[in-house]
Amino acid sequence: MKVLLVGSGGREHSLAWAVSRSKRLTKLYCAPGNAGIATLAECLDIDALDISGLCEAITRLGIDFVIVGPEAPLVAGLADRVSDMGIPVFGPSAAAAALEGSKGFMKDILAKYGIPTAEYQRFDEPDAAKEYIRAKNKPLVVKADGLAAGKGVILSHSVTEAYAAVDQIMVEEAFGGAGAEIVIEEFLEGEEASFFALCDGTRAIPLAGAQDHKQVHDGDHGPNTGGMGAYSPASVLDPAMTERVMREIITPTVEAMAKEGRPYTGVLFAGLMIGQAGPKVIEFNCRFGDPECQPIMMRLKSDALEMLLAAAKGELDRIKLEWDPRPALCVVMAANGYPGHYMKETVIEGVEAADKLDGVQVFHAGTARNDAGQLIATGGRVLGVTAIQPTVGDAQKLAYRAVDLIRWPEGFCRRDIGWRAVGR
Ligand code: AMP
Ligand code: GLY
């Protein structure tokens, strides 16, 4: 099979790594890819959002299967266009990707079908939103409706903070058109976890649980990022909780989407709050998590290409997944200054030595090669140093041993990835 993978992050490098071990693969292409992916695939200089450019390449190269990594092309309708060409695609249609593309749509589906989530209300103008905030008079979360690269969520501890959040999103338009509508919801208490299920339109099967570290500094301090590290499995998502999440959240959502005429295929990523009353949905994403995907792919023993293809073709009943029981843990190395302003094109050395350690994979995110052939940083999140070991503590030790072989003065990482699990 000739496969095209769309995207350029650490998530896509780990998908490329997993897919390239499949016996069914004859050739892997990636658009646009990065320096790590380029060791496994032929990279095409086409932006992930250039839908016409991607479709043209699919025809020209005779692609048999398309795997879409990021959400933006899915929300923009890439999977619809590829399906219309008669080619199987991993990733939901635009109508189904609305579960991530519109928080208001997602909340309405959950409410309509009785799926547990925070109590909420939608608003399209600030005055009514503020009236609601005044009446509630308790900590609330204010969210831009549309895609905002993970930044459109403001946790507000007081009425004044919540007013400011409404103004920032709706009046100052801090997230552009994504904030034309907002969702305001109650604060959820508990432990956060990421849950991934494969869906084929009518069925869902559990993949794995993971835990991300969203804040930039050790101890979960500082501003939110795309994710500074992750490990899988997550101990809060034990077999009993997994069964409960499937029964109370994932299966009803897949059934709801089918009933709504928006059958969901691909991976459904539920951001969950596990509290006293059980699991509640914080958000849905229509793609794998980054960096959660990296440890999950390292633990997957089954043929990744077969697995993704079965979801795309509505054949999940044929699939039985096998996992390495050992935990895997990914430490993200980011450019100094991230998630704010950071320097680009700084040189990174020592990645090969880190990669050679037994049980380690270094997945690239924002990397490229300069004219001299040196590895350089081109983004905020740059490397995902991932290790697999018999315990999460050992995986953490090995990941940091690998990190310490990498010489990159302009980069940093958190030093406590996995602290919850290691502490337990
Ligand atoms: P989201 O982009 O919706 O996942 O929100 C980003 C982060 O904000 C989440 O990972 C949570 O840590 C936090 N968050 C979002 N909604 C809530 C909520 N209702 N209660 C508590 N924390 C929340
Ligand atoms: N790591 C969280 C996300 O991919 O949204």
Side-chain angles (χ1 to χ4, degrees):
M1 284 198 113
K2 288 191 195 173
V3 176
L4 171 65
L5 171 65
V6 178
S8 61
R11 165 182 52 211
E12 286 76 23
H13 189 186
S14 70
L15 288 169
W17 175 79
V19 163
S20 43
R21 293 184 300 176
S22 172
K23 283 195 279 296
R24 289 192 66 182
L25 183 76
T26 49
K27 170 110 187 172
L28 181 62
Y29 294 92
C30 186
N34 61 38
I37 295 172
T39 64
L40 303 167
E42 181 177 334
C43 291
L44 308 172
D45 188 15
I46 307 171
D47 191 86
L49 272 169
D50 178 1
I51 294 183
S52 301
L54 291 168
C55 290
E56 186 274 322
I58 288 164
T59 308
R60 177 167 47 84
L61 301 167
I63 299 294
D64 302 301
F65 180 41
V66 178
I67 302 166
V68 187
E71 65 278 12
L74 292 166
V75 170
L78 176 59
D80 305 71
R81 285 280 299 277
V82 176
S83 298
D84 287 347
M85 295 162 72
I87 291 164
V89 52
F90 182 82
S93 67
L99 276 184
E100 175 166 3
S102 166
K103 293 193 192 289
F105 168 80
M106 179 278 269
K107 297 292 288 191
D108 286 353
I109 289 282
L110 295 187
K112 181 169 170 187
Y113 292 90
I115 299 164
T117 189
E119 187 193 303
Y120 75 106
Q121 201 128 315
R122 301 174 73 169
F123 298 95
D124 59 8
E125 56 94 17
D127 289 344
K130 288 180 181 171
E131 213 178 291
Y132 178 80
I133 290 166
R134 209 161 37 241
K136 285 278 171 200
N137 193 24
K138 63 175 187 185
L140 293 168
V141 184
V142 182
K143 303 185 173 187
D145 182 81
L147 291 185
K151 297 190 184 85
V153 173
I154 303 175
L155 308 178
S156 309
H157 303 277
S158 65
V159 169
T160 331
E161 274 181 35
Y163 281 4
V166 170
D167 285 338
Q168 197 185 335
I169 298 175
M170 301 197 98
V171 183
E172 294 151 35
E173 301 181 10
F175 310 108
E181 262 200 57
I182 59 171
V183 167
I184 301 184
E185 65 181 34
E186 66 173 325
F187 228 96
L188 294 176
E189 303 284 346
E191 182 168 339
E192 265 189 87
S194 304
F195 187 83
F196 298 87
L198 276 186
C199 308
D200 71 357
T202 56
R203 271 171 295 250
I205 60 171
L207 262 179
Q211 220 157 20
D212 189 9
H213 300 64
K214 291 212 162 123
Q215 276 135 332
V216 71
H217 298 309
D218 286 18
D220 293 337
H221 295 298
N224 263 350
T225 68
M228 293 301 293
Y231 59 92
S232 171
S235 49
V236 274
L237 289 165
D238 60 13
M241 186 54 77
T242 296
E243 198 268 323
R244 192 166 170 193
V245 170
M246 287 302 294
R247 181 164 35 89
E248 294 180 11
I249 293 172
I250 303 294
T251 303
T253 301
V254 170
E255 287 171 1
M257 292 298 280
K259 276 206 195 97
E260 296 287 320
R262 302 171 184 247
Y264 192 96
T265 65
V267 58
L268 184 59
F269 164 5
L272 300 174
M273 191 68 89
I274 318 271
Q276 295 279 307
K280 288 190 179 181
V281 178
I282 299 176
E283 62 164 352
F284 276 131
N285 297 305
C286 62
R287 49 163 176 91
F288 280 103
D290 189 340
E292 290 98 322
C293 191
Q294 291 84 315
I296 290 174
M297 287 304 128
M298 250 182 116
R299 290 185 51 231
L300 180 69
K301 285 172 88 174
S302 311
D303 186 311
L305 180 50
E306 294 278 11
M307 170 185 99
L308 302 175
L309 191 61
K313 292 174 86 170
E315 297 172 354
L316 277 183
D317 52 327
R318 292 197 304 113
I319 288 289
K320 196 157 173 339
L321 296 178
E322 250 194 278
W323 296 94
D324 192 321
R326 295 176 300 165
L329 180 142
C330 172
V331 175
V332 169
M333 298 183 77
N336 287 344
Y338 173 81
H341 182 76
Y342 54 83
M343 252 204 290
K344 283 192 179 182
E345 314 219 335
T346 55
V347 174
I348 306 165
E349 292 177 308
V351 170
E352 292 76 9
D355 231 350
K356 274 205 197 99
L357 291 179
D358 201 26
V360 170
Q361 290 293 327
V362 180
F363 295 116
H364 292 224
T367 66
R369 297 259 167 210
N370 64 16
D371 291 340
Q374 293 168 299
L375 188 69
I376 55 169
T378 57
R381 292 191 296 168
V382 174
L383 297 170
V385 181
T386 312
I388 189 162
Q389 285 291 290
T391 69
V392 70
D394 291 338
Q396 186 195 53
K397 276 200 203 92
L398 180 59
Y400 283 114
R401 223 176 98 208
V403 162
D404 290 335
L405 292 173
I406 295 173
R407 294 183 303 281
W408 182 31
E410 297 85 3
F412 75 101
C413 65
R414 273 181 64 160
R415 282 277 160 187
D416 64 345
I417 299 305
W419 64 268
R420 270 200 184 82
V422 173
R424 279 179 185 136

